[in-house]
Amino acid sequence: MKALAIDTSLTRITIAAKNEDKTAYLTLDIGMKQSEKLIPSFEYVLSQVDLTTKELDYTVLCKGPGSFTGLRLAFSALKAIELAYDVPVYGVGTLDAYSYAYSDFDIPVLCAVDAKKNRFYLSCKNGGKVIIEDGDYEIDAVKDIINGIDSEKIFVCGSDAGLFIRRIGEVLQGKKFICLKGTPNETENLFAIAEDMIAKKIPALKDFDGPVYIRASEAEENLASNSTGSANS
């Protein structure tokens, strides 16, 4: 198939294009300039596999959780392609994209992404069983759940697996946490997940579908705080 995958959920942007058996990848970790580089970058990646946007069978993105600005950027870019060329957009949860490659492991797989403010976006599954629902957690909030997992070893993946292992190790002993060195390219997982969705006839994103943030934005937190203050005055 001919496809474009984008992950803008984190501080870096990863873009991949595939044209049947040819694939090209590009990662940008360049701070504030990422937004202005997105469109030229995916056009460049598409050109490396001899594709244009109008030839795509589908596009796919990480739909969150993640950066508010980054997620909106990806949705805007791929929705524009959908409107212009009728190319369906598929959305994959960020934690699902990062943990997909390890879903057949016979030990619990925990996915961790740094959510800042001493918090992590986490999920944990053991085979088909959900142990920790996708969410925004403090370490202390999941310490007892992790301690209660019936396995001495837990595999940790995600962009911030190493950081999570260090933090959980400060408050929890008795578990062996394992992670890979290096960072696998999650956009290849996006292709695999999207094509499985297509095969199962799972619908693409609707016009009104947007990012999955989990955490409220600072503006929403301030609004809620102000509303509470007004109600109590």
Side-chain angles (χ1 to χ4, degrees), residues 98-118:
Y98 279 87
S99 60
Y100 175 79
Y102 319 109
S103 55
D104 288 337
F105 280 17
D106 59 1
I107 61 174
V109 174
L110 187 150
C111 187
V113 172
D114 186 11
K116 311 302 181 185
K117 300 181 181 179
N118 296 314

mmCIF file of all heavy atoms in Angstrom, residues 98-118:
data_model
loop_
_atom_site.group_PDB
_atom_site.id
_atom_site.type_symbol
_atom_site.label_atom_id
_atom_site.label_comp_id
_atom_site.label_asym_id
_atom_site.label_seq_id
_atom_site.Cartn_x
_atom_site.Cartn_y
_atom_site.Cartn_z
ATOM 1 N N TYR A 98 3.692 2.743 20.494
ATOM 2 C CA TYR A 98 4.992 2.432 21.093
ATOM 3 C C TYR A 98 5.079 1.007 21.639
ATOM 4 O O TYR A 98 6.174 0.430 21.714
ATOM 5 C CB TYR A 98 5.300 3.434 22.203
ATOM 6 C CG TYR A 98 5.839 4.748 21.700
ATOM 7 C CD1 TYR A 98 4.975 5.777 21.329
ATOM 8 C CD2 TYR A 98 7.195 4.965 21.565
ATOM 9 C CE1 TYR A 98 5.455 6.974 20.838
ATOM 10 C CE2 TYR A 98 7.687 6.165 21.084
ATOM 11 C CZ TYR A 98 6.816 7.163 20.724
ATOM 12 O OH TYR A 98 7.305 8.344 20.234
ATOM 13 N N SER A 99 3.947 0.432 22.017
ATOM 14 C CA SER A 99 3.983 -0.908 22.622
ATOM 15 C C SER A 99 3.650 -2.024 21.644
ATOM 16 O O SER A 99 3.805 -3.209 21.966
ATOM 17 C CB SER A 99 3.009 -0.968 23.810
ATOM 18 O OG SER A 99 1.678 -0.706 23.389
ATOM 19 N N TYR A 100 3.220 -1.684 20.435
ATOM 20 C CA TYR A 100 2.744 -2.672 19.459
ATOM 21 C C TYR A 100 3.762 -3.780 19.206
ATOM 22 O O TYR A 100 3.414 -4.962 19.146
ATOM 23 C CB TYR A 100 2.403 -1.963 18.154
ATOM 24 C CG TYR A 100 2.022 -2.887 17.023
ATOM 25 C CD1 TYR A 100 0.744 -3.436 16.947
ATOM 26 C CD2 TYR A 100 2.939 -3.225 16.027
ATOM 27 C CE1 TYR A 100 0.390 -4.284 15.914
ATOM 28 C CE2 TYR A 100 2.593 -4.077 14.988
ATOM 29 C CZ TYR A 100 1.322 -4.601 14.940
ATOM 30 O OH TYR A 100 0.986 -5.452 13.908
ATOM 31 N N ALA A 101 5.018 -3.417 19.039
ATOM 32 C CA ALA A 101 6.044 -4.394 18.669
ATOM 33 C C ALA A 101 6.256 -5.458 19.747
ATOM 34 O O ALA A 101 6.822 -6.520 19.463
ATOM 35 C CB ALA A 101 7.373 -3.683 18.389
ATOM 36 N N TYR A 102 5.780 -5.204 20.960
ATOM 37 C CA TYR A 102 6.038 -6.115 22.078
ATOM 38 C C TYR A 102 4.764 -6.787 22.574
ATOM 39 O O TYR A 102 4.749 -7.398 23.640
ATOM 40 C CB TYR A 102 6.695 -5.331 23.229
ATOM 41 C CG TYR A 102 7.726 -4.343 22.739
ATOM 42 C CD1 TYR A 102 7.490 -2.967 22.789
ATOM 43 C CD2 TYR A 102 8.926 -4.774 22.180
ATOM 44 C CE1 TYR A 102 8.419 -2.066 22.310
ATOM 45 C CE2 TYR A 102 9.860 -3.869 21.692
ATOM 46 C CZ TYR A 102 9.603 -2.519 21.759
ATOM 47 O OH TYR A 102 10.524 -1.620 21.272
ATOM 48 N N SER A 103 3.697 -6.693 21.800
ATOM 49 C CA SER A 103 2.392 -7.168 22.267
ATOM 50 C C SER A 103 2.330 -8.680 22.441
ATOM 51 O O SER A 103 1.443 -9.180 23.144
ATOM 52 C CB SER A 103 1.286 -6.710 21.306
ATOM 53 O OG SER A 103 1.568 -7.121 19.984
ATOM 54 N N ASP A 104 3.256 -9.421 21.823
ATOM 55 C CA ASP A 104 3.252 -10.879 21.968
ATOM 56 C C ASP A 104 4.178 -11.367 23.076
ATOM 57 O O ASP A 104 4.338 -12.579 23.260
ATOM 58 C CB ASP A 104 3.658 -11.550 20.648
ATOM 59 C CG ASP A 104 2.574 -11.434 19.594
ATOM 60 O OD1 ASP A 104 1.400 -11.256 19.967
ATOM 61 O OD2 ASP A 104 2.898 -11.509 18.395
ATOM 62 N N PHE A 105 4.789 -10.462 23.819
ATOM 63 C CA PHE A 105 5.658 -10.873 24.924
ATOM 64 C C PHE A 105 4.826 -11.621 25.963
ATOM 65 O O PHE A 105 3.641 -11.331 26.156
ATOM 66 C CB PHE A 105 6.307 -9.660 25.587
ATOM 67 C CG PHE A 105 7.503 -9.112 24.829
ATOM 68 C CD1 PHE A 105 7.727 -9.440 23.505
ATOM 69 C CD2 PHE A 105 8.402 -8.261 25.456
ATOM 70 C CE1 PHE A 105 8.812 -8.941 22.811
ATOM 71 C CE2 PHE A 105 9.505 -7.752 24.771
ATOM 72 C CZ PHE A 105 9.713 -8.091 23.451
ATOM 73 N N ASP A 106 5.467 -12.590 26.640
ATOM 74 C CA ASP A 106 4.743 -13.371 27.645
ATOM 75 C C ASP A 106 4.932 -12.820 29.058
ATOM 76 O O ASP A 106 4.710 -13.526 30.043
ATOM 77 C CB ASP A 106 5.144 -14.849 27.584
ATOM 78 C CG ASP A 106 6.636 -15.067 27.825
ATOM 79 O OD1 ASP A 106 7.354 -14.071 28.059
ATOM 80 O OD2 ASP A 106 7.079 -16.228 27.789
ATOM 81 N N ILE A 107 5.359 -11.576 29.164
ATOM 82 C CA ILE A 107 5.410 -10.878 30.439
ATOM 83 C C ILE A 107 4.670 -9.550 30.284
ATOM 84 O O ILE A 107 4.436 -9.105 29.153
ATOM 85 C CB ILE A 107 6.861 -10.625 30.918
ATOM 86 C CG1 ILE A 107 7.627 -9.751 29.916
ATOM 87 C CG2 ILE A 107 7.578 -11.936 31.176
ATOM 88 C CD1 ILE A 107 9.009 -9.338 30.407
ATOM 89 N N PRO A 108 4.269 -8.914 31.370
ATOM 90 C CA PRO A 108 3.569 -7.625 31.254
ATOM 91 C C PRO A 108 4.408 -6.594 30.503
ATOM 92 O O PRO A 108 5.628 -6.504 30.691
ATOM 93 C CB PRO A 108 3.356 -7.211 32.709
ATOM 94 C CG PRO A 108 3.369 -8.492 33.476
ATOM 95 C CD PRO A 108 4.356 -9.368 32.770
ATOM 96 N N VAL A 109 3.743 -5.824 29.652
ATOM 97 C CA VAL A 109 4.405 -4.758 28.885
ATOM 98 C C VAL A 109 3.823 -3.420 29.326
ATOM 99 O O VAL A 109 2.629 -3.173 29.180
ATOM 100 C CB VAL A 109 4.203 -4.958 27.369
ATOM 101 C CG1 VAL A 109 4.778 -3.760 26.602
ATOM 102 C CG2 VAL A 109 4.856 -6.253 26.907
ATOM 103 N N LEU A 110 4.677 -2.582 29.881
ATOM 104 C CA LEU A 110 4.272 -1.263 30.350
ATOM 105 C C LEU A 110 4.867 -0.214 29.422
ATOM 106 O O LEU A 110 6.055 -0.259 29.122
ATOM 107 C CB LEU A 110 4.751 -1.047 31.789
ATOM 108 C CG LEU A 110 4.285 0.224 32.504
ATOM 109 C CD1 LEU A 110 4.181 -0.024 34.008
ATOM 110 C CD2 LEU A 110 5.223 1.406 32.259
ATOM 111 N N CYS A 111 4.049 0.708 28.942
ATOM 112 C CA CYS A 111 4.511 1.767 28.050
ATOM 113 C C CYS A 111 4.522 3.085 28.821
ATOM 114 O O CYS A 111 3.541 3.425 29.498
ATOM 115 C CB CYS A 111 3.598 1.881 26.838
ATOM 116 S SG CYS A 111 4.216 3.030 25.583
ATOM 117 N N ALA A 112 5.640 3.824 28.720
ATOM 118 C CA ALA A 112 5.812 5.043 29.502
ATOM 119 C C ALA A 112 6.291 6.193 28.625
ATOM 120 O O ALA A 112 7.268 6.058 27.893
ATOM 121 C CB ALA A 112 6.799 4.805 30.643
ATOM 122 N N VAL A 113 5.584 7.318 28.720
ATOM 123 C CA VAL A 113 5.962 8.554 28.040
ATOM 124 C C VAL A 113 5.953 9.671 29.077
ATOM 125 O O VAL A 113 4.980 9.813 29.835
ATOM 126 C CB VAL A 113 4.970 8.889 26.902
ATOM 127 C CG1 VAL A 113 5.270 10.276 26.324
ATOM 128 C CG2 VAL A 113 5.047 7.831 25.804
ATOM 129 N N ASP A 114 7.010 10.433 29.143
ATOM 130 C CA ASP A 114 7.120 11.511 30.119
ATOM 131 C C ASP A 114 6.045 12.572 29.859
ATOM 132 O O ASP A 114 5.970 13.140 28.766
ATOM 133 C CB ASP A 114 8.518 12.136 30.028
ATOM 134 C CG ASP A 114 8.773 13.184 31.100
ATOM 135 O OD1 ASP A 114 7.964 13.283 32.040
ATOM 136 O OD2 ASP A 114 9.801 13.886 30.990
ATOM 137 N N ALA A 115 5.196 12.831 30.851
ATOM 138 C CA ALA A 115 4.149 13.850 30.740
ATOM 139 C C ALA A 115 4.534 15.130 31.483
ATOM 140 O O ALA A 115 3.690 16.021 31.649
ATOM 141 C CB ALA A 115 2.825 13.313 31.286
ATOM 142 N N LYS A 116 5.784 15.197 31.942
ATOM 143 C CA LYS A 116 6.299 16.352 32.678
ATOM 144 C C LYS A 116 5.571 16.495 34.018
ATOM 145 O O LYS A 116 4.689 15.738 34.356
ATOM 146 C CB LYS A 116 6.194 17.645 31.860
ATOM 147 C CG LYS A 116 6.744 17.524 30.443
ATOM 148 C CD LYS A 116 8.206 17.108 30.413
ATOM 149 C CE LYS A 116 8.727 17.012 28.990
ATOM 150 N NZ LYS A 116 10.116 16.488 28.934
ATOM 151 N N LYS A 117 5.989 17.485 34.789
ATOM 152 C CA LYS A 117 5.394 17.749 36.112
ATOM 153 C C LYS A 117 5.385 16.493 36.985
ATOM 154 O O LYS A 117 4.436 16.229 37.734
ATOM 155 C CB LYS A 117 3.968 18.298 35.970
ATOM 156 C CG LYS A 117 3.882 19.596 35.183
ATOM 157 C CD LYS A 117 2.448 20.107 35.104
ATOM 158 C CE LYS A 117 2.363 21.394 34.303
ATOM 159 N NZ LYS A 117 0.970 21.920 34.192
ATOM 160 N N ASN A 118 6.465 15.672 36.857
ATOM 161 C CA ASN A 118 6.600 14.438 37.642
ATOM 162 C C ASN A 118 5.478 13.438 37.379
ATOM 163 O O ASN A 118 5.072 12.690 38.276
ATOM 164 C CB ASN A 118 6.678 14.756 39.138
ATOM 165 C CG ASN A 118 7.906 15.557 39.492
ATOM 166 O OD1 ASN A 118 9.014 15.239 39.042
ATOM 167 N ND2 ASN A 118 7.732 16.608 40.275
#
